[in-house]
Amino acid sequence: MAAAASSLGRSGAIEITRRLAAICGPPFSRLAGPADEVAGRPARWVAVPGGPHAAAEVLRLAAAHDLAVVPRGAGTKIDWGATPTQVDIVLDTGRLAGIGHEPVGAPVAEVGAGTPLRAVQATLERTGQRLAMDAPSPGATLGGVLAAGEAGPLRHRHGSPCDQLLGVRYLGADGELVSAGGGAPGLDLARLLCGSQGALGVLVSASLRVQPVPASRLWVSRPVWTPLEVHDLVRMILAARLEPAAIELDLPAGAPRPRTPYPPGHPAATARERHPSMSGRASAPSRAGSLVVLLEGGPADVTERAERLVGLLHGEATVTHSAPPWWRRYPFAPGDTALRLEVPIGDLHAAVYALRDAAGSPVPVRGSAGLGVVHAALPGAMAPDRVASILAAVRGVLLARQGRCVVVSAPAAVRQAVDMWGELAGLARLQAAKEHLDPEHRLAPGRLPGGR
């Protein structure tokens, strides 16, 4: 494919540029620039089609000239995942936007893939409804959230955005517009597109469940110091059947803590220090972390549940009407090596300790403690071989616990030195889907696990 793209020559490239302008309109097609790179791979053209039919024409043009196409929403996660092997055309979905006209109070909404999620929520809120989605990336489009498999705190109660799909419309690599949904086989295909980074199809729109906006929301926060403490608290919260909408954790990095949450000699402090998972561990950070529970529902019901939760937490909790500043924010910054750890909730503390042990000190960890899905950050300046050794150690621990560690994003040198995905259940099914839906590997080639 790369050879085919490079063999176009000047006249061929000019013809592609002309055809894209004819399909999308002169203001909506251009030569790509540095800002259009995909995970470090430069692109050649950017096309912003005005609708599904124009997008299909772009794909047919690409197929005729054996060009690689990578879909892009707002670009908030364009550096996530593996680097594609080739990027000829970035297909920007910004004009595939809008919200279908459904009866007021209807339990479903059809949303264009290029629609910013915050615009969807603002529109639905006018009728007292919402999507139970709160992806952290600011400005993310619905299609980008689905294609990246991104989810926020509300996944604890409502599942991921993929779980809320009722159907999708997407374009295949040959430009055919396909509707998937309306039954188990179709829904399975629709959900297979989630997390595929645009490598199986170009999302055009999605039908999703909507729900009433909760009348009341309260955040109950409790300081925490160690992953083991988090484990005990989460287990207690879940056993209390408080129906939390989210259970989120923020554990900072830092120097050794100055004190324990219990006085010296306290039975809880003694038991904690003697626990097997504390043996030889790096010290906890000096700044306390937070475990925060979101409760949603009717005002009286939410207040009653919040009071019960505060009682369970022995007076160390505080209740607020707004989220903490770190809520719905990742612990990593641009240029960091961003990790996602997924593990059964009973083993989350072991996963965090394994990461700390491998790194030699606490690292920032944040995410859904109630589901065992958290993100962590390693400094961008860390040597690639050091990152590789940390990953190997952590993945070795997680493998025995049916967990995994994925590199979400990383500097170029780290990408080249590590396996971004690690062990992946269902890899054969994903690769089979790629061969069926995109046998020529024209859509985001190399973005899927296994280099597909």
Side-chain angles (χ1 to χ4, degrees):
M1 184 179 295
S6 62
S7 67
L8 281 170
R10 178 177 174 81
S11 61
I14 291 174
E15 176 62 14
I16 297 296
T17 303
R18 185 192 68 78
R19 291 284 306 279
L20 288 175
I23 294 169
C24 302
F28 300 106
S29 65
R30 58 179 172 81
L31 295 175
D36 301 308
E37 290 185 352
V38 180
R41 182 74 67 192
R44 302 187 67 182
W45 294 277
V46 176
V48 193
H53 296 298
E57 284 296 313
V58 172
L59 289 169
R60 283 192 281 268
L61 175 65
H65 293 274
D66 201 18
L67 302 177
V69 178
V70 176
R72 180 181 71 187
T76 57
K77 296 171 288 297
I78 200 66
D79 62 337
W80 282 26
T83 301
T85 56
Q86 184 73 24
V87 184
D88 295 309
I89 301 174
V90 169
L91 196 160
D92 190 306
T93 64
R95 297 169 71 198
L96 305 180
I99 303 174
H101 295 287
E102 302 287 345
V104 174
V108 61
E110 183 174 5
V111 182
T115 314
L117 187 56
R118 59 190 176 193
V120 181
Q121 300 289 33
T123 301
L124 291 175
E125 282 174 8
R126 295 172 190 161
T127 60
Q129 296 176 301
R130 72 170 184 181
L131 297 178
M133 299 180 186
D134 53 353
S137 298
T141 63
L142 176 67
V145 168
L146 294 174
E150 187 180 26
L154 287 178
R155 65 185 149 196
H156 178 90
R157 178 77 180 274
H158 304 284
S160 70
C162 180
D163 295 327
Q164 299 173 53
L165 273 181
L166 299 175
V168 298
R169 291 195 305 153
Y170 73 94
L171 291 165
D174 57 0
E176 181 184 0
L177 183 61
V178 181
S179 294
L187 199 54
D188 285 345
L189 174 58
R191 290 177 174 171
L192 195 60
L193 297 173
C194 294
S196 68
Q197 300 281 5
L200 298 179
V202 179
L203 285 168
V204 171
S205 65
S207 297
L208 304 118
R209 291 193 296 270
V210 300
Q211 60 175 233
V213 173
S216 180
R217 308 180 87 197
L218 290 177
W219 284 262
V220 181
S221 304
R222 203 260 202 199
V224 291
W225 297 92
T226 70
L228 177 59
E229 186 179 17
V230 172
H231 168 268
D232 295 342
L233 290 171
V234 169
R235 186 171 59 180
M236 179 178 65
I237 293 167
L238 293 176
R241 301 182 181 278
L242 295 167
E243 299 183 359
I247 304 175
E248 292 287 298
L249 168 68
D250 176 46
L251 277 179
R257 65 179 180 180
R259 64 177 182 86
T260 67
Y262 301 99
H266 189 284
T270 303
R272 191 175 310 283
E273 295 302 325
R274 289 179 177 174
H275 194 282
S277 66
M278 294 295 289
S279 176
R281 302 296 180 188
S283 297
S286 57
R287 179 170 68 85
S290 298
L291 187 68
V292 180
V293 180
L294 170 61
L295 301 172
E296 295 183 332
D301 173 61
V302 168
T303 299
E304 187 271 334
R305 284 187 284 145
E307 289 173 351
R308 285 172 54 202
L309 181 54
V310 169
L312 283 174
L313 300 177
H314 307 297
E316 296 182 69
T318 57
V319 181
T320 62
H321 290 271
S322 59
W326 53 265
W327 190 265
R328 289 181 57 211
R329 295 190 179 185
Y330 294 114
F332 46 82
D336 285 345
T337 294
L339 308 177
R340 183 174 71 248
L341 286 75
E342 304 170 4
V343 70
I345 56 174
D347 291 318
L348 179 60
H349 66 298
V352 177
Y353 278 132
L355 180 59
R356 288 183 172 188
D357 290 349
S361 63
V363 297
V365 173
R366 189 178 293 162
S368 297
L371 293 177
V373 181
V374 297
H375 288 87
L378 298 175
M382 183 176 286
D385 59 344
R386 179 78 178 111
V387 175
S389 68
I390 291 172
L391 276 176
V394 172
R395 285 170 171 167
V397 171
L398 295 184
L399 185 61
R401 291 170 168 79
Q402 298 183 321
R404 60 192 295 249
C405 178
V406 173
V407 180
V408 174
S409 182
V414 174
R415 289 176 181 274
Q416 296 170 6
V418 304
D419 174 5
M420 300 283 286
W421 301 100
E423 294 288 334
L424 177 63
L427 176 59
R429 179 170 179 253
L430 191 60
Q431 292 179 339
K434 178 69 171 177
E435 295 304 319
H436 175 68
L437 297 172
D438 182 22
E440 302 300 323
H441 292 199
R442 281 194 292 266
L443 292 177
R447 292 285 260 173
L448 289 178
R452 301 300 179 96

mmCIF file with all atom_site columns, all heavy atoms in Angstrom, residues 422-434:
data_model
loop_
_atom_site.group_PDB
_atom_site.id
_atom_site.type_symbol
_atom_site.label_atom_id
_atom_site.label_alt_id
_atom_site.label_comp_id
_atom_site.label_asym_id
_atom_site.label_entity_id
_atom_site.label_seq_id
_atom_site.pdbx_PDB_ins_code
_atom_site.Cartn_x
_atom_site.Cartn_y
_atom_site.Cartn_z
_atom_site.occupancy
_atom_site.B_iso_or_equiv
_atom_site.pdbx_formal_charge
_atom_site.auth_seq_id
_atom_site.auth_comp_id
_atom_site.auth_asym_id
_atom_site.auth_atom_id
_atom_site.pdbx_PDB_model_num
ATOM 1  N N   . GLY A 1 422 ? -0.129  -6.023  24.726 1.00 0.00 ? 422 GLY A N   1
ATOM 2  C CA  . GLY A 1 422 ? -0.008  -7.147  25.636 1.00 0.00 ? 422 GLY A CA  1
ATOM 3  C C   . GLY A 1 422 ? -0.979  -8.255  25.256 1.00 0.00 ? 422 GLY A C   1
ATOM 4  O O   . GLY A 1 422 ? -1.489  -8.306  24.138 1.00 0.00 ? 422 GLY A O   1
ATOM 5  N N   . GLU A 1 423 ? -1.238  -9.154  26.193 1.00 0.00 ? 423 GLU A N   1
ATOM 6  C CA  . GLU A 1 423 ? -2.161  -10.256 25.934 1.00 0.00 ? 423 GLU A CA  1
ATOM 7  C C   . GLU A 1 423 ? -3.570  -9.724  25.710 1.00 0.00 ? 423 GLU A C   1
ATOM 8  O O   . GLU A 1 423 ? -4.027  -8.836  26.416 1.00 0.00 ? 423 GLU A O   1
ATOM 9  C CB  . GLU A 1 423 ? -2.178  -11.223 27.125 1.00 0.00 ? 423 GLU A CB  1
ATOM 10 C CG  . GLU A 1 423 ? -0.862  -11.942 27.346 1.00 0.00 ? 423 GLU A CG  1
ATOM 11 C CD  . GLU A 1 423 ? -0.590  -12.985 26.275 1.00 0.00 ? 423 GLU A CD  1
ATOM 12 O OE1 . GLU A 1 423 ? -1.571  -13.489 25.681 1.00 0.00 ? 423 GLU A OE1 1
ATOM 13 O OE2 . GLU A 1 423 ? 0.590   -13.278 26.031 1.00 0.00 ? 423 GLU A OE2 1
ATOM 14 N N   . LEU A 1 424 ? -4.256  -10.232 24.698 1.00 0.00 ? 424 LEU A N   1
ATOM 15 C CA  . LEU A 1 424 ? -5.593  -9.752  24.376 1.00 0.00 ? 424 LEU A CA  1
ATOM 16 C C   . LEU A 1 424 ? -6.508  -10.929 24.066 1.00 0.00 ? 424 LEU A C   1
ATOM 17 O O   . LEU A 1 424 ? -6.323  -11.633 23.070 1.00 0.00 ? 424 LEU A O   1
ATOM 18 C CB  . LEU A 1 424 ? -5.545  -8.805  23.176 1.00 0.00 ? 424 LEU A CB  1
ATOM 19 C CG  . LEU A 1 424 ? -6.901  -8.268  22.681 1.00 0.00 ? 424 LEU A CG  1
ATOM 20 C CD1 . LEU A 1 424 ? -7.568  -7.433  23.769 1.00 0.00 ? 424 LEU A CD1 1
ATOM 21 C CD2 . LEU A 1 424 ? -6.724  -7.452  21.418 1.00 0.00 ? 424 LEU A CD2 1
ATOM 22 N N   . ALA A 1 425 ? -7.500  -11.145 24.920 1.00 0.00 ? 425 ALA A N   1
ATOM 23 C CA  . ALA A 1 425 ? -8.502  -12.168 24.646 1.00 0.00 ? 425 ALA A CA  1
ATOM 24 C C   . ALA A 1 425 ? -9.355  -11.712 23.462 1.00 0.00 ? 425 ALA A C   1
ATOM 25 O O   . ALA A 1 425 ? -9.678  -10.543 23.324 1.00 0.00 ? 425 ALA A O   1
ATOM 26 C CB  . ALA A 1 425 ? -9.384  -12.374 25.885 1.00 0.00 ? 425 ALA A CB  1
ATOM 27 N N   . GLY A 1 426 ? -9.703  -12.626 22.609 1.00 0.00 ? 426 GLY A N   1
ATOM 28 C CA  . GLY A 1 426 ? -10.525 -12.277 21.454 1.00 0.00 ? 426 GLY A CA  1
ATOM 29 C C   . GLY A 1 426 ? -9.750  -11.710 20.287 1.00 0.00 ? 426 GLY A C   1
ATOM 30 O O   . GLY A 1 426 ? -10.333 -11.164 19.349 1.00 0.00 ? 426 GLY A O   1
ATOM 31 N N   . LEU A 1 427 ? -8.400  -11.829 20.322 1.00 0.00 ? 427 LEU A N   1
ATOM 32 C CA  . LEU A 1 427 ? -7.587  -11.285 19.229 1.00 0.00 ? 427 LEU A CA  1
ATOM 33 C C   . LEU A 1 427 ? -7.927  -11.968 17.905 1.00 0.00 ? 427 LEU A C   1
ATOM 34 O O   . LEU A 1 427 ? -8.036  -11.302 16.865 1.00 0.00 ? 427 LEU A O   1
ATOM 35 C CB  . LEU A 1 427 ? -6.100  -11.458 19.549 1.00 0.00 ? 427 LEU A CB  1
ATOM 36 C CG  . LEU A 1 427 ? -5.115  -11.015 18.469 1.00 0.00 ? 427 LEU A CG  1
ATOM 37 C CD1 . LEU A 1 427 ? -5.296  -9.532  18.148 1.00 0.00 ? 427 LEU A CD1 1
ATOM 38 C CD2 . LEU A 1 427 ? -3.676  -11.296 18.901 1.00 0.00 ? 427 LEU A CD2 1
ATOM 39 N N   . ALA A 1 428 ? -8.116  -13.276 17.929 1.00 0.00 ? 428 ALA A N   1
ATOM 40 C CA  . ALA A 1 428 ? -8.413  -14.003 16.688 1.00 0.00 ? 428 ALA A CA  1
ATOM 41 C C   . ALA A 1 428 ? -9.717  -13.516 16.069 1.00 0.00 ? 428 ALA A C   1
ATOM 42 O O   . ALA A 1 428 ? -9.823  -13.351 14.847 1.00 0.00 ? 428 ALA A O   1
ATOM 43 C CB  . ALA A 1 428 ? -8.479  -15.502 16.964 1.00 0.00 ? 428 ALA A CB  1
ATOM 44 N N   . ARG A 1 429 ? -10.709 -13.244 16.905 1.00 0.00 ? 429 ARG A N   1
ATOM 45 C CA  . ARG A 1 429 ? -12.003 -12.756 16.402 1.00 0.00 ? 429 ARG A CA  1
ATOM 46 C C   . ARG A 1 429 ? -11.858 -11.373 15.784 1.00 0.00 ? 429 ARG A C   1
ATOM 47 O O   . ARG A 1 429 ? -12.424 -11.079 14.724 1.00 0.00 ? 429 ARG A O   1
ATOM 48 C CB  . ARG A 1 429 ? -13.013 -12.718 17.546 1.00 0.00 ? 429 ARG A CB  1
ATOM 49 C CG  . ARG A 1 429 ? -14.391 -12.210 17.156 1.00 0.00 ? 429 ARG A CG  1
ATOM 50 C CD  . ARG A 1 429 ? -15.383 -12.425 18.281 1.00 0.00 ? 429 ARG A CD  1
ATOM 51 N NE  . ARG A 1 429 ? -16.699 -11.921 17.938 1.00 0.00 ? 429 ARG A NE  1
ATOM 52 C CZ  . ARG A 1 429 ? -17.232 -10.820 18.457 1.00 0.00 ? 429 ARG A CZ  1
ATOM 53 N NH1 . ARG A 1 429 ? -16.555 -10.117 19.359 1.00 0.00 ? 429 ARG A NH1 1
ATOM 54 N NH2 . ARG A 1 429 ? -18.442 -10.425 18.105 1.00 0.00 ? 429 ARG A NH2 1
ATOM 55 N N   . LEU A 1 430 ? -11.066 -10.521 16.426 1.00 0.00 ? 430 LEU A N   1
ATOM 56 C CA  . LEU A 1 430 ? -10.852 -9.174  15.910 1.00 0.00 ? 430 LEU A CA  1
ATOM 57 C C   . LEU A 1 430 ? -10.120 -9.211  14.577 1.00 0.00 ? 430 LEU A C   1
ATOM 58 O O   . LEU A 1 430 ? -10.472 -8.499  13.628 1.00 0.00 ? 430 LEU A O   1
ATOM 59 C CB  . LEU A 1 430 ? -10.063 -8.359  16.937 1.00 0.00 ? 430 LEU A CB  1
ATOM 60 C CG  . LEU A 1 430 ? -9.960  -6.851  16.719 1.00 0.00 ? 430 LEU A CG  1
ATOM 61 C CD1 . LEU A 1 430 ? -11.339 -6.210  16.715 1.00 0.00 ? 430 LEU A CD1 1
ATOM 62 C CD2 . LEU A 1 430 ? -9.093  -6.221  17.804 1.00 0.00 ? 430 LEU A CD2 1
ATOM 63 N N   . GLN A 1 431 ? -9.109  -10.048 14.481 1.00 0.00 ? 431 GLN A N   1
ATOM 64 C CA  . GLN A 1 431 ? -8.359  -10.158 13.231 1.00 0.00 ? 431 GLN A CA  1
ATOM 65 C C   . GLN A 1 431 ? -9.209  -10.761 12.123 1.00 0.00 ? 431 GLN A C   1
ATOM 66 O O   . GLN A 1 431 ? -9.098  -10.357 10.956 1.00 0.00 ? 431 GLN A O   1
ATOM 67 C CB  . GLN A 1 431 ? -7.097  -10.988 13.470 1.00 0.00 ? 431 GLN A CB  1
ATOM 68 C CG  . GLN A 1 431 ? -6.082  -10.284 14.366 1.00 0.00 ? 431 GLN A CG  1
ATOM 69 C CD  . GLN A 1 431 ? -4.843  -11.119 14.624 1.00 0.00 ? 431 GLN A CD  1
ATOM 70 O OE1 . GLN A 1 431 ? -4.878  -12.337 14.485 1.00 0.00 ? 431 GLN A OE1 1
ATOM 71 N NE2 . GLN A 1 431 ? -3.760  -10.471 15.013 1.00 0.00 ? 431 GLN A NE2 1
ATOM 72 N N   . ALA A 1 432 ? -10.080 -11.705 12.482 1.00 0.00 ? 432 ALA A N   1
ATOM 73 C CA  . ALA A 1 432 ? -10.980 -12.280 11.486 1.00 0.00 ? 432 ALA A CA  1
ATOM 74 C C   . ALA A 1 432 ? -11.952 -11.224 10.966 1.00 0.00 ? 432 ALA A C   1
ATOM 75 O O   . ALA A 1 432 ? -12.270 -11.184 9.764  1.00 0.00 ? 432 ALA A O   1
ATOM 76 C CB  . ALA A 1 432 ? -11.748 -13.455 12.084 1.00 0.00 ? 432 ALA A CB  1
ATOM 77 N N   . ALA A 1 433 ? -12.417 -10.355 11.861 1.00 0.00 ? 433 ALA A N   1
ATOM 78 C CA  . ALA A 1 433 ? -13.312 -9.275  11.447 1.00 0.00 ? 433 ALA A CA  1
ATOM 79 C C   . ALA A 1 433 ? -12.600 -8.321  10.499 1.00 0.00 ? 433 ALA A C   1
ATOM 80 O O   . ALA A 1 433 ? -13.187 -7.850  9.512  1.00 0.00 ? 433 ALA A O   1
ATOM 81 C CB  . ALA A 1 433 ? -13.826 -8.529  12.673 1.00 0.00 ? 433 ALA A CB  1
ATOM 82 N N   . LYS A 1 434 ? -11.336 -8.035  10.777 1.00 0.00 ? 434 LYS A N   1
ATOM 83 C CA  . LYS A 1 434 ? -10.568 -7.165  9.890  1.00 0.00 ? 434 LYS A CA  1
ATOM 84 C C   . LYS A 1 434 ? -10.452 -7.785  8.503  1.00 0.00 ? 434 LYS A C   1
ATOM 85 O O   . LYS A 1 434 ? -10.644 -7.098  7.480  1.00 0.00 ? 434 LYS A O   1
ATOM 86 C CB  . LYS A 1 434 ? -9.177  -6.919  10.486 1.00 0.00 ? 434 LYS A CB  1
ATOM 87 C CG  . LYS A 1 434 ? -8.244  -6.066  9.625  1.00 0.00 ? 434 LYS A CG  1
ATOM 88 C CD  . LYS A 1 434 ? -8.696  -4.621  9.553  1.00 0.00 ? 434 LYS A CD  1
ATOM 89 C CE  . LYS A 1 434 ? -7.644  -3.748  8.875  1.00 0.00 ? 434 LYS A CE  1
ATOM 90 N NZ  . LYS A 1 434 ? -8.081  -2.350  8.722  1.00 0.00 ? 434 LYS A NZ  1
#
